[in-house]
Amino acid sequence: MSDVVAESVLEINLSHLAHNFKYLKSKVGQGVKMLCVVKANSYGSEDVAIAKKLQEIGADYLAVAYVSEGVHLREAGITLPILVLHPQPVNFEALIRYNLEPSLYSARILREFVEVAERSNKKDYPVHIKFNTGINRIGFWEADVDFIHRDLSKTTSVKVVSIFSHLAASEDHNEREFTLQQIHTFKKITEDLIPKLGYRPILHQCNTSGILNYSEAHFDMVRSGIGIYGYGNEEGFDAKLKPVAALKSVISQIHKLEPGESVGYNRAFKAQDYMTSATIPLGHADGITRIYGNQKGFVYINGHRANIIGNVCMDMIMVDITGIDCNEGDEVIIFDHKHSATHIAENAGTISYELITGISPRVKRKIID
Ligand SMILES: *Cc1c(COP(=O)(O)O)cnc(C)c1O
């Protein structure tokens, strides 16, 4: 039982995190390492609390997108190895100072990193080589293997700890053939590069849906983000997982509306009949963006669904509570382990990832262990 919510709160349930970690780990072989993705404030939750828990329950690696995110974790005392997926050269010195490990994804990035590593007198500094096998955002191409080998053999400042790639559509069963092609390409690349390096780095390609749908691509490590936070990108997997974050709020005020009266900015909602609305202290500055306005989004009050009416304001939303037995001060649930963020996100035309990562720092975090 959680206490009564008296303001907007994002509850972070660490036992749910442990449950999800265990479930995903059970899906991969004994010797396969678990990298947990904690970028974007641990998918909009609380990066330090999540990383500490993951460290305690046996995660092998963490990953963030940017150097600043890794610095934040190091300053909070996180000691697990941290892969930085998308670093920029301007931050390479800080990256080394904080013992973070870069993804090297292009000739420019590799050369700039080696230069900084040499200048810092590093030996065998751990780096990760990222290949593009079809998503076409960052990564070396298959044809770059010789170049990478040549450049790396000229220096002892860095050592390749892993070779990895990213799947573009692992959650999409209609793209199975494309995904299998990506896996095939990754295998070919590693079979080409490993003999040239003369040692075998950790190989990894799967994100959460890759773990769940492509056991043939688990290799030596898998990278889970959304899964450890409790979402499996399809109903069958969602049922096995427990959402870590629950967004709760409270009814600030109740209004009785007469036919023809409007609600909110630009009078975007007009009452057709006598009705009742409730105002809730959450708005687009909290991460409930305007796409949820005008009946696209909804909340739950005393077990009943109440649609958001009119435009989302910066600090509030108004919902239709006609016929719902409720009072000012009552609890409002936007999403939790029973009311999935996936439903509200998909109803508004987006995905759970965007809704949960967008909950802004203004919403108080409450850690439940
Ligand atoms: C964000 C990210 C992940 C995590 O993906 P999920 O679908 O959330 O599991 C894995 N790998 C890379 C390279 C990423 O950028």
Side-chain angles (χ1 to χ4, degrees), residues 35 37 39 43 63-65 83 85 130 137-138 164-167 170-171 204-211 223-229 231 233 353:
L35 176 151
V37 183
K39 63 193 179 189
Y43 283 46
V64 293
L83 163 58
L85 294 164
K130 170 76 178 285
R137 28 177 234 194
I138 50 173
F164 74 112
S165 184
H166 192 51
L167 299 173
S170 56
E171 72 277 38
H204 50 118
Q205 189 171 30
C206 281
N207 59 351
T208 298
S209 288
I211 296 170
R223 304 186 302 271
S224 182
I226 201 79
I228 59 170
Y229 303 105
Y231 298 92
N233 293 332
Y353 294 71

Side-chain angles (χ1 to χ4, degrees), residues 79-364:
T79 54
L80 277 177
I82 301 176
L83 163 58
V84 182
L85 294 164
H86 197 172
Q88 299 297 336
V90 68
N91 300 315
F92 281 164
E93 280 173 11
L95 180 147
I96 289 177
R97 201 166 345 112
Y98 284 89
N99 194 21
L100 306 168
E101 303 178 8
S103 160
L104 303 181
Y105 50 88
S106 70
R108 176 180 70 98
I109 295 298
L110 187 152
R111 285 186 168 152
E112 298 225 22
F113 188 76
V114 167
E115 210 181 289
V116 177
E118 283 180 348
R119 220 186 310 131
S120 316
N121 294 317
K122 291 293 167 188
K123 221 166 172 50
D124 292 340
Y125 195 90
V127 299
H128 304 253
I129 307 291
K130 170 76 178 285
F131 281 93
N132 169 28
T133 53
I135 192 168
N136 293 326
R137 28 177 234 194
I138 50 173
F140 284 103
W141 284 267
E142 195 180 343
D144 294 325
V145 166
D146 284 328
F147 156 82
I148 295 167
H149 164 61
R150 225 176 314 116
D151 255 44
L152 289 180
S153 61
K154 285 186 244 162
T155 180
T156 54
S157 63
V158 301
K159 176 152 189 187
V160 180
V161 284
S162 93
I163 306 173
F164 74 112
S165 184
H166 192 51
L167 299 173
S170 56
E171 72 277 38
D172 187 347
H173 296 290
N174 296 320
E175 294 291 355
R176 194 163 178 88
E177 219 174 300
F178 179 86
T179 303
L180 292 172
Q181 186 57 48
Q182 278 200 277
I183 296 167
H184 176 73
T185 304
F186 183 63
K187 279 188 182 149
K188 249 175 59 200
I189 289 168
T190 59
E191 280 162 15
D192 189 8
L193 182 54
I194 289 169
K196 292 187 166 112
L197 290 175
Y199 55 89
R200 186 190 150 96
I202 298 167
L203 310 183
H204 50 118
Q205 189 171 30
C206 281
N207 59 351
T208 298
S209 288
I211 296 170
L212 299 171
N213 296 324
Y214 294 93
S215 57
E216 62 271 55
H218 289 170
F219 299 105
D220 307 314
M221 183 159 79
V222 293
R223 304 186 302 271
S224 182
I226 201 79
I228 59 170
Y229 303 105
Y231 298 92
N233 293 332
E234 64 180 76
E235 274 181 22
F237 295 130
D238 283 346
K240 305 279 189 198
L241 299 166
K242 296 183 180 177
V244 167
L247 181 58
K248 299 180 178 178
S249 190
V250 63
I251 297 177
S252 297
Q253 196 180 24
I254 289 176
H255 288 252
K256 299 259 181 237
L257 302 168
E258 295 193 1
E261 280 196 283
S262 63
V263 175
Y265 285 124
N266 312 105
R267 308 191 67 204
F269 180 83
K270 292 205 173 102
Q272 303 294 315
D273 212 333
Y274 288 92
M275 60 180 289
T276 319
S277 72
T279 303
I280 297 162
L282 273 175
H284 59 74
D286 300 295
I288 305 300
T289 65
R290 283 169 53 97
I291 66 165
Y292 297 103
N294 300 302
Q295 280 98 335
K296 292 288 183 3
F298 44 85
V299 303
Y300 294 89
I301 297 172
N302 297 330
H304 298 279
R305 172 172 158 167
N307 288 331
I308 298 175
I309 53 178
N311 289 320
V312 171
C313 308
M314 192 183 298
D315 320 305
M316 17 193 146
I317 48 176
M318 284 69 81
V319 300
D320 179 0
I321 54 163
T322 310
I324 299 176
D325 185 13
C326 60
N327 297 298
E328 293 180 353
D330 280 2
E331 184 182 74
V332 174
I333 291 169
I334 296 78
F335 54 80
D336 67 3
H337 61 287
K338 289 205 205 86
H339 309 89
S340 173
T342 305
H343 292 154
I344 167 172
E346 287 181 355
N347 204 56
T350 183
I351 55 175
S352 58
Y353 294 71
E354 187 181 48
L355 175 56
I356 66 171
T357 60
I359 303 307
S360 81
R362 189 167 75 168
V363 178
K364 187 168 155 188

